[in-house]
Amino acid sequence: MASNSMSSYGSGLWTVKQNKAFERALATYDKDTPDRWHNVARAVGGTTPDEAKRQYDLLVRDIESIENGHVPFPNYTTTGGRSKGRLRDEEKRYC
């Protein structure tokens, strides 16, 4: 697997460039577009309509997992060394 992510989405041999092209193609060719997966695959390059549809199905599954609370929130650390997502007062002003 070429991805560094633990996500299913993007876990194939797709490059970062292909994934970005895939995302742009999804925005361009919606579900009502005739030959959607053919158009998406052509926009991505180096993939088939079936592979483009599979990539989409993986993306949908990942989104559902996130929305259903099956993916934990990351524990980011601010530059000040504080953790658990707490922001200092001066950081809150920019949110």
Side-chain angles (χ1 to χ4, degrees):
M1 296 290 171
S3 174
N4 292 331
S5 170
M6 291 183 61
S7 168
S8 301
Y9 170 64
S11 63
L13 298 176
W14 288 41
T15 65
V16 171
K17 184 177 179 180
Q18 284 177 309
N19 277 313
K20 289 293 180 188
F22 175 71
E23 292 168 3
R24 282 191 302 274
L26 289 179
T28 302
Y29 305 110
D30 68 10
K31 65 180 180 165
D32 297 323
T33 301
D35 298 319
R36 180 186 193 188
W37 301 118
H38 173 77
N39 290 321
V40 170
R42 188 169 30 116
V44 170
T47 191
T48 67
D50 287 340
E51 291 167 337
K53 175 67 166 95
R54 181 178 181 278
Q55 188 77 347
Y56 176 78
D57 291 340
L58 290 171
L59 174 61
V60 168
R61 189 172 68 197
D62 281 354
I63 290 169
E64 288 171 350
S65 291
I66 292 166
E67 289 177 344
N68 290 326
H70 297 133
V71 178
F73 287 105
N75 188 13
Y76 293 118
T77 303
T78 63
T79 56
R82 297 179 72 173
S83 62
K84 298 184 180 176
R86 292 188 301 252
L87 298 176
R88 292 177 285 179
D89 289 338
E90 63 269 19
E91 292 172 319
K92 290 178 184 176
R93 287 183 283 175
Y94 300 106
C95 293

